Amino acid sequence: MKIFIKLLLLLLLPVFVLSQSQQKLDSLHIALRNASNDSIRMEKYQELHWFYQEVNRDSAMFYCDQALPIAKQLKLSLHEANILDGKGYMFMHLGNYPKSLETFLLALKIAEDPSSENDNYNLFRNSIRETPQTFRLKVLASIHHDMGHLYGRTGNTSKQILHYRQTESISESVQDTRQLALVNMNLGWAYSTLDKIDSAIIFVQKSLLFWYMLPFEQRKYEGLSLNELGDYTLRKGNYGLAMDALIRSVRVNKEQNNLAFLGDAYISLGNLYKILNKPDTGLLYARQGLETFKAVGLPAGIANSYGLLSSLYDVQNKTDSAFAYSKLATLLKDSLNIVEQKSLQAFQNVGFDEQLRLEELEKEKIQTQNKVRTYAMLAGLGVFFIVGLILYRNNRQKQKANKVLETTLTNLKSTQSQLIQSEKMASLGELTAGIAHEIQNPLNFVNNFSEVNTELIDELNVEVDKGNIDEVKAIAKDIKENEQKINHHGKRADAIVKGMLQHSRSSNGLKEPTDINALCDEYLRLSYHGLRAKDKSFNATMKTDFDETIGNINIVPQDIGRVILNLINNAFYVVDEKKKASTSSAGQFAYEPTVSVSTKKINGKVEIKVTDNGNGIPQKVLDKIFQPFFTTKPTGQGTGLGLSLSYDIVKVHGGELKVETKEGEGSKFIIVLPSNL
């Protein structure tokens, strides 16, 4: 009765396992029928391929073939590579090794190209939205991983491990836990083929740690890792650990509907019970493995099941059954070996044919080069004399052209000097009105106090005649104080005149200690009053924020003064233009034109900032503002040399001139100079 129940369960096992996933399969088909666009349809085809990958590989290939043309039509290159990777995996398991290699190489070519990252439609099965770069690297890692399988199956273990290591490196860079679980599992397989069982066990245990970090739906191959652990520990003679790992492998493969590797787990358990001298239990698992492999349609698995059944019957001295299954195993393995050999030969021919093609191309290239050399030599002899005549003629023309160029260069230098002087005179002209305003104040004081002193002297004479000594002393004291004020304002006027002369004269290039705060303050006021003198409607708020700890710095004051003046003039110009535009377009507009000048000592350098709240500088203009002769001002209002000369002056001082701007909000020009004397 017990045997009958076991046989009944054995026959019904594929039905039980398939029924567990029927609901998921039905939901995928419903989603496919209801897909509203090609992108979703492609995704569902890929999910169906994934579902059938270890259940029915013909069906898995069918759904790959359905998804691939959609990916090409939508120009989703990374998904195309991903689908090609799936097809290559199917070709490999179906025994078509050359087609598998060809398909993997197509996928690899796409995934290695960073331009494929333009594929922005992310279709990860784990539903995590990722960047196109991460998507590409994950696809690339998967292709290398599957190519490692292919080289392992075709006996090239060194290439197998090389591709696995590439997979591991890429997966670590993008923190792909699932791929790390897979590649460590298969590194264990690779090292087991080299008979390095201890290393194989370490890798497969590492893979299990990664599997345990993942959610259930991503642990499809956890059962395979457990199966490998069981096989490796069995080879080490640790039957208890092997038994535990293989039983867990059966359970996990059932849960994941992973029939291909469920069959492997049954066969491994059958072998274990054979070693433990329990042939009855071994036969039970061997039959379960056979039925599972038949359900999936894996001839190699069926052949292994036949072989195990034969050996177990042989242990029980059931020679008829042992012979029958041995014959079935031999016939099937012979058939598979013929197919395998043909496939391996074709696989090797892919590489061999490619090598022959490259050699043929190299021969053709050498022949073509020889012909070209021969024709070139003959042609060279034919034109040598003509070339000599042309060179002689060109030499004479070159001498004439050099004379013309020398004259042109002289004229160009002269024009350049005139333009630079024009820029200097333009800035001097802008200063003149401001200086006139500035110098007028001390002159008014001088005139007023002079007139007062004249009246006081008359009063003094009157008081002297009266003999009023106390009053005489008081008047004399007032006269003295007025003289001091006259002297003070006279010196102020003298300083203004010297500043003007200093700006207008050519720089001698000698640096001298200069109070940069005073220089900035002076040119801010001169620029403002100069513009006010030219246009009475001009008005702007001036703000200063000077760092008093700077002290004197070693500069050429005339040159740095020109730079500061140019930046301040430009700032006043842009805020005035914004004010005029605001007023004309919207009447009274709540806009206050403001120009700020600040200094600050930072990390051994001095920063001078000229800030405005104008319209800012457009991005398309920003890259050109320091180019000579480039200006945004109307014709006749600017030479286009101001910022160019300013940039050069600051560079000569070992500093830099830079700009920060935001359209609609204003600009900030920053002069950075060394602070050490």
Side-chain angles (χ1 to χ4, degrees):
M1 185 65 180
K2 289 182 179 179
I3 296 175
F4 174 76
I5 293 173
K6 288 181 180 180
L7 289 173
L8 181 62
L9 290 173
L10 178 63
L11 293 172
L12 293 176
L13 176 63
V15 178
F16 291 153
V17 175
L18 290 172
S19 65
Q20 293 176 355
S21 59
Q22 189 61 44
Q23 186 176 359
K24 179 180 179 181
L25 182 60
D26 291 341
S27 66
L28 285 174
H29 282 293
I30 292 170
L32 181 62
R33 287 197 299 270
N34 296 331
S36 58
N37 56 56
D38 284 339
S39 298
I40 296 175
R41 193 170 292 108
M42 180 185 70
E43 179 182 10
K44 296 309 169 188
Y45 281 137
Q46 286 182 282
E47 289 182 8
L48 282 163
H49 154 73
W50 178 251
F51 178 88
Y52 281 112
Q53 189 166 316
E54 309 300 347
V55 177
N56 187 320
R57 284 170 176 147
D58 289 327
S59 296
M61 180 68 83
F62 169 79
Y63 287 113
C64 271
D65 289 336
Q66 299 302 308
L68 187 59
I70 299 177
K72 290 181 177 179
Q73 179 187 350
L74 297 177
K75 297 182 179 179
L76 298 175
S77 54
L78 282 178
H79 293 292
E80 180 183 347
N82 201 21
I83 296 165
L84 286 170
D85 180 32
K87 281 177 67 69
Y89 183 81
M90 290 300 101
F91 278 128
M92 177 185 66
H93 280 291
L94 292 171
N96 193 339
Y97 298 149
K99 194 65 178 177
S100 175
L101 178 60
E102 180 184 334
T103 309
F104 283 144
L105 290 174
L106 287 174
L108 192 64
K109 184 177 180 181
I110 297 171
E112 285 182 333
D113 184 2
S115 66
S116 64
E117 291 172 10
N118 294 330
D119 175 3
N120 290 317
Y121 186 72
N122 200 344
L123 293 178
F124 282 108
R125 296 183 180 94
N126 59 9
S127 300
I128 298 175
R129 306 298 289 181
E130 289 164 316
T131 66
Q133 183 186 34
T134 301
F135 186 10
R136 181 179 72 83
L137 291 175
K138 286 191 173 185
V139 172
L140 183 60
S142 178
I143 296 167
H144 279 297
H145 183 244
D146 292 340
M147 288 183 74
H149 298 342
L150 179 60
Y151 282 111
R153 282 182 170 243
T154 53
N156 194 333
T157 308
S158 60
K159 277 194 174 183
Q160 176 188 17
I161 293 175
L162 176 64
H163 280 283
Y164 286 160
R165 289 298 188 185
Q166 287 178 296
T167 300
E168 185 180 33
S169 176
I170 297 169
S171 300
E172 285 175 348
S173 71
V174 294
Q175 298 180 340
D176 188 350
T177 304
R178 179 182 173 277
Q179 193 65 65
L180 286 169
L182 285 168
V183 75
N184 277 280
M185 176 184 74
N186 287 300
L187 277 166
W189 168 44
Y191 279 98
S192 74
T193 61
L194 298 174
D195 206 28
K196 297 180 179 180
I197 304 304
D198 290 332
S199 297
I201 290 174
I202 290 171
F203 279 114
V204 78
Q205 287 176 333
K206 189 177 178 182
S207 78
L208 286 168
L209 291 176
F210 283 119
W211 287 125
Y212 299 151
M213 295 167 61
L214 292 167
F216 172 79
E217 61 273 11
Q218 293 186 41
R219 294 162 63 174
K220 183 170 184 176
Y221 293 98
E222 179 188 350
L224 179 54
S225 290
L226 289 165
N227 191 22
E228 287 186 5
L229 180 61
D231 286 341
Y232 305 154
T233 52
L234 180 60
R235 288 168 67 175
K236 295 287 287 185
N238 195 331
Y239 302 141
L241 284 178
M243 179 75 72
D244 178 66
L246 291 173
I247 289 174
R248 287 163 58 200
S249 175
V250 169
R251 175 178 57 79
V252 173
N253 281 317
K254 285 181 180 180
E255 291 172 351
Q256 294 289 347
N257 191 33
N258 205 334
L259 301 187
F261 299 118
L262 176 62
D264 289 335
Y266 284 142
I267 297 303
S268 295
L269 277 168
N271 280 314
L272 174 58
Y273 279 105
K274 174 186 172 183
I275 293 171
L276 295 175
N277 199 24
K278 295 182 179 180
D280 289 337
T281 308
L283 283 169
L284 176 64
Y285 283 115
R287 292 190 189 102
Q288 287 177 321
L290 177 61
E291 293 304 319
T292 304
F293 284 130
K294 284 182 177 180
V296 181
L298 294 179
I302 295 170
N304 288 335
S305 301
Y306 286 153
L308 178 59
L309 285 166
S310 175
S311 64
L312 287 167
Y313 279 122
D314 188 53
V315 169
Q316 293 180 327
N317 294 318
K318 297 180 179 179
T319 55
D320 290 342
S321 297
F323 178 76
Y325 279 112
S326 176
K327 186 176 180 181
L328 288 172
T330 301
L331 290 172
L332 186 53
K333 285 181 179 179
D334 288 344
S335 174
L336 289 173
N337 285 336
I338 293 171
V339 174
E340 181 84 1
Q341 288 301 319
K342 288 182 179 179
S343 185
L344 281 173
Q345 182 65 40
F347 175 80
Q348 292 166 355
N349 287 342
V350 170
F352 183 69
D353 290 344
E354 179 68 12
Q355 185 64 32
L356 287 177
R357 188 181 69 84
L358 291 174
E359 289 178 359
E360 189 64 30
L361 286 174
E362 186 63 24
K363 288 180 182 178
E364 291 178 3
K365 181 180 178 182
I366 292 171
Q367 291 174 356
T368 303
Q369 288 175 343
N370 289 336
K371 289 180 181 179
V372 169
R373 289 194 189 100
T374 302
Y375 294 147
M377 184 178 65
L378 293 173
L381 292 173
V383 301
F384 179 77
F385 183 71
I386 297 173
V387 170
L389 290 175
I390 293 173
L391 289 174
Y392 175 74
R393 180 173 173 271
N394 287 346
N395 186 52
R396 294 192 63 185
Q397 290 181 341
K398 183 178 179 181
Q399 291 176 355
K400 293 179 181 179
N402 284 341
K403 291 181 181 179
V404 174
L405 286 173
E406 287 176 4
T407 304
T408 303
L409 182 61
T410 302
N411 293 336
L412 183 61
K413 288 181 177 179
S414 175
T415 303
Q416 185 183 32
S417 299
Q418 292 173 9
L419 284 170
I420 293 173
Q421 187 61 28
S422 173
E423 175 64 24
K424 292 180 180 178
M425 294 307 295
S427 63
L428 179 61
E430 293 173 351
L431 273 180
T432 303
I435 291 171
H437 179 275
E438 284 291 289
I439 207 169
Q440 188 63 46
N441 286 332
L443 288 177
N444 286 340
F445 279 110
V446 169
N447 291 335
N448 291 338
F449 285 120
S450 296
E451 292 174 1
V452 170
N453 276 0
T454 301
E455 294 174 0
L456 288 174
I457 290 172
D458 292 338
E459 291 181 13
L460 180 66
N461 291 331
V462 172
E463 295 300 328
V464 169
D465 292 338
K466 290 180 180 180
N468 192 347
I469 300 303
D470 291 336
E471 189 64 27
V472 168
K473 289 181 179 180
I475 294 172
K477 182 180 178 183
D478 291 340
I479 292 172
K480 182 178 179 181
E481 290 177 354
N482 289 344
E483 286 297 325
Q484 290 174 345
K485 293 176 181 177
I486 289 170
N487 181 261
H488 169 75
H489 289 291
K491 288 181 179 178
R492 173 64 184 149
D494 179 63
I496 293 170
V497 171
K498 285 181 179 177
M500 178 186 70
L501 293 174
Q502 204 172 41
H503 180 83
S504 61
R505 74 170 183 257
S506 298
S507 169
N508 56 13
L510 296 178
K511 296 180 180 180
E512 58 186 76
T514 304
D515 186 342
I516 195 66
N517 292 341
L519 195 68
C520 291
D521 185 60
E522 179 179 2
Y523 279 108
L524 176 63
R525 288 184 291 101
L526 290 177
S527 176
Y528 175 78
H529 291 305
L531 292 171
R532 284 277 296 167
K534 290 167 62 178
D535 182 3
K536 296 299 181 183
S537 66
F538 170 78
N539 198 9
T541 300
M542 296 183 293
K543 294 182 179 180
T544 58
D545 182 13
F546 297 139
D547 185 349
E548 300 299 334
T549 65
I550 294 175
N552 291 344
I553 62 173
N554 212 25
I555 59 172
V556 181
Q558 305 98 301
D559 291 347
I560 296 299
R562 288 192 184 101
V563 175
I564 295 170
L565 178 65
N566 181 267
L567 297 181
I568 293 172
N569 282 342
N570 288 347
F572 278 133
Y573 175 82
V574 296
V575 298
D576 190 47
E577 289 296 305
K578 183 174 180 178
K579 181 180 179 182
K580 289 176 181 177
S582 303
T583 304
S584 62
S585 63
Q588 190 64 30
F589 188 80
Y591 168 68
E592 182 182 357
T594 304
V595 173
S596 303
V597 180
S598 65
T599 61
K600 192 170 184 62
K601 188 173 183 179
I602 303 175
N603 298 328
K605 295 185 178 181
V606 173
E607 284 190 355
I608 306 163
K609 297 181 181 179
V610 178
T611 308
D612 65 74
N613 63 342
N615 286 319
I617 304 172
Q619 188 61 43
K620 62 181 180 180
V621 173
L622 190 60
D623 296 334
K624 303 177 183 178
I625 59 173
F626 293 118
Q627 294 178 5
F629 309 111
F630 178 80
T631 180
T632 58
K633 294 179 181 179
T635 304
Q637 293 191 27
T639 63
L641 287 172
L643 285 176
S644 174
L645 290 174
S646 297
Y647 186 86
D648 292 339
I649 289 170
V650 174
K651 281 291 183 184
V652 169
H653 277 74
E656 60 177 320
L657 176 59
K658 51 189 179 181
V659 60
E660 297 174 1
T661 186
K662 191 170 183 180
E663 286 194 57
E665 296 184 13
S667 302
K668 181 187 296 181
F669 282 84
I670 305 169
I671 306 168
V672 181
L673 297 171
S675 64
N676 55 313
L677 290 173

